[in-house]
């Protein structure tokens, strides 16, 4: 998805569809593929990010003098940050293409969204090269960073990029010389491109990104969206249970009884430490196992048998035997 062709394919391909009442049963292979891809579960963070992004895009639409306000999605690993970023990016892409469909005479479709990964040990030149690669802008070894930046800004403006998604932003360290230059490049791009920037990274408030002069500039322009673990309870609401129910309602198993998984909310919260990525992976793996072994249902015993990612396992303390 870090090229326009890949992003366009992702954004315009119908997401996996849950089973619908009245439809004939799907084959085993179809159901395995469905649970492998699965639907995007709409979490509170996704809802907040979608609302904030839409608002800031309108707010910055006619702003000329300074950099437009931006967003930073932060949280621990496996908390659903990239999922939220991609969901909002796809929604923006589809909304724009519905509003301004490409003319049959046009050689190129609309390009409203860019998705860029910060490379490991990023320098300003390697990062701007990633921006260039997204739209297939030719870059030679002889080109300077300034020349590549000018080509990127010209092409992005011409293409009509409105939303720039930058993932793995925690890889930047403005305390180093190369990191400071890379942070300055991003600041320059936000001032030159008429687009809203949304960043995502692991626990960015604990990194050097928010310290020093450059960190103060970023913090002063960016709204923070916390994509942390979901609490079991929040006031009178039960957001983690709501997410479990949503996941269960989208399963495609022949013998699974609705309401089974929400009854194990406490166990699932302890097992995953409230991380959405770990939760969806656990349940999807259990569903695939249930299809393979023919049980066609998920139980606490079958969940216990699934080995989770190391991060979740290190936070999980097994229930003592009774």
């Amino acid at each position: 998805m870090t090229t326009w062709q890949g992003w366009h394919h992702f954004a315009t391909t119908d997401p996996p569809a849950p089973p619908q009442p009245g439809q004939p049963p799907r084959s085993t292979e179809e159901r395995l593929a469905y649970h492998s891809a699965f639907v995007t579960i709409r979490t509170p963070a996704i809802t907040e990010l979608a609302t904030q992004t839409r608002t800031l895009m309108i707010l910055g639409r006619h702003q000329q003098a300074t950099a437009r306000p931006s967003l930073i999605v932060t949280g621990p690993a496996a908390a659903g940050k990239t999922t939220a970023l991609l969901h909002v990016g796809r929604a923006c892409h589809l909304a724009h293409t519905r509003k301004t469909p490409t003319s049959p005479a046009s050689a190129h479709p609309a390009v409203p969204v860019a998705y860029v990964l910060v490379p490991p040990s990023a320098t300003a030149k390697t990062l701007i090269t990633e921006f260039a690669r997204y739209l297939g802008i030719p870059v030679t070894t002889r080109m300077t960073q300034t020349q590549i930046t000018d080509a990127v800004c010209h092409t992005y403006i011409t293409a009509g990029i409105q939303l720039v998604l930058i993932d793995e932003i925690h890889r930047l360290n403005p305390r180093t010389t190369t990191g400071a230059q890379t942070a300055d490049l991003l600041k320059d791009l936000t001032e030159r491109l008429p687009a809203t920037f949304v960043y995502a990274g692991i626990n960015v408030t604990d990194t050097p990104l928010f310290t020093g002069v450059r960190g103060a500039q970023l913090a002063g322009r960016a709204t923070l969206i916390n994509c942390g673990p979901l609490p079991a309870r929040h006031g009178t609401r039960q957001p983690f249970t709501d997410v479990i129910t949503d996941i269960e309602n989208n399963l495609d198993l022949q013998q699974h009884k609705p309401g089974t998984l929400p009854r194990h909310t406490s166990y699932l919260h302890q097992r995953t430490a409230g991380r959405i990525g770990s939760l969806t992976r656990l349940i999807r793996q259990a569903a695939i196992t249930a299809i393979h072994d023919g049980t066609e249902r998920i139980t606490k015993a079958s969940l216990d048998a699934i080995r989770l990612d190391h991060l979740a396992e290190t936070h999980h303390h097994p229930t003592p035997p009774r």
Side-chain angles (χ1 to χ4, degrees):
M1 286 182 286
T2 54
T3 65
W4 162 243
Q5 292 80 4
W7 174 266
H8 185 262
H9 176 76
F10 160 76
T12 57
T13 299
D14 289 336
Q20 301 297 322
Q23 286 187 342
R26 292 189 279 199
S27 69
T28 296
E29 285 305 315
E30 286 174 331
R31 292 189 298 125
L32 288 172
Y34 167 71
H35 288 104
S36 174
F38 211 57
V39 298
T40 297
I41 302 301
R42 196 172 181 90
T43 63
I46 288 180
T47 300
E48 183 181 6
L49 180 60
T51 301
Q52 292 275 10
T53 300
R54 182 169 58 248
T55 301
L56 291 192
M57 289 180 71
I58 296 171
L59 182 65
R61 186 170 293 163
H62 303 291
Q63 188 169 325
Q64 302 293 334
T66 60
R68 290 156 182 78
S70 57
L71 292 166
I72 297 180
V73 184
T74 184
K81 298 179 298 299
T82 295
T83 298
L85 204 66
L86 297 179
H87 178 83
V88 170
R90 170 191 266 155
C92 174
H93 180 106
L94 295 177
H96 179 81
T97 52
R98 282 194 299 267
K99 186 177 179 181
T100 55
T102 304
S103 167
S106 174
H108 304 285
V111 187
V113 179
Y115 178 69
V116 177
L117 282 177
V118 176
S121 304
T123 65
K125 189 169 184 179
T126 59
L127 180 57
I128 196 61
T129 299
E130 287 299 302
F131 275 83
R133 188 170 70 87
Y134 180 79
L135 284 187
I137 302 168
V139 173
T140 66
T141 54
R142 294 183 178 181
M143 292 177 70
T144 66
Q145 176 195 321
T146 300
Q147 289 173 322
I148 302 172
T149 303
D150 288 343
V152 164
C153 290
H154 171 77
T155 308
Y156 273 51
I157 292 171
T158 302
I161 296 284
Q162 299 177 7
L163 181 64
V164 178
L165 308 175
I166 302 180
D167 211 348
E168 308 288 352
I169 192 67
H170 57 271
R171 290 175 172 172
L172 292 186
N173 182 3
R175 290 179 182 170
T176 67
T177 301
T178 55
Q181 293 169 347
T182 309
D184 288 343
L185 167 69
L186 285 177
K187 179 177 177 292
D188 184 38
L189 291 176
T190 62
E191 292 173 347
R192 295 177 63 177
L193 295 177
T196 298
F197 280 63
V198 181
Y199 311 93
I202 297 174
N203 296 332
V204 296
T205 52
D206 299 331
T207 71
L209 276 173
F210 272 18
T211 61
V213 175
R214 291 177 176 85
Q217 287 180 325
L218 179 61
R221 292 172 173 171
T223 299
L224 208 62
I225 305 289
N226 194 339
C227 199
L230 277 180
R233 286 184 176 275
H234 188 267
T236 58
R237 295 185 295 109
Q238 297 178 307
F240 195 72
T241 304
D242 292 342
V243 169
I244 293 172
T245 302
D246 199 5
I247 296 173
E248 185 179 67
N249 289 341
N250 283 284
L251 293 174
D252 194 353
L253 297 174
Q254 296 171 355
Q255 301 297 326
H256 186 80
K257 294 181 180 179
T260 299
L261 296 183
R263 285 199 296 270
H264 298 304
T265 292
S266 296
Y267 162 78
L268 289 168
H269 195 271
Q270 180 192 45
R271 184 84 194 272
T272 63
R275 292 179 172 88
I276 299 304
S278 299
L279 175 69
T280 54
R281 175 179 168 180
L282 173 62
I283 296 176
R284 285 161 53 215
Q285 282 187 245
I288 288 172
T289 300
I291 294 172
H292 273 305
D293 65 20
T295 59
E296 293 287 344
R297 60 193 178 98
I298 299 175
T299 64
K300 185 175 179 295
S302 66
L303 291 167
D304 267 335
I306 302 295
R307 293 293 299 272
L308 257 180
D309 56 273
H310 179 68
L311 182 64
E313 293 291 2
T314 55
H315 285 83
H316 171 54
H317 303 287
T319 304
R322 291 179 292 178

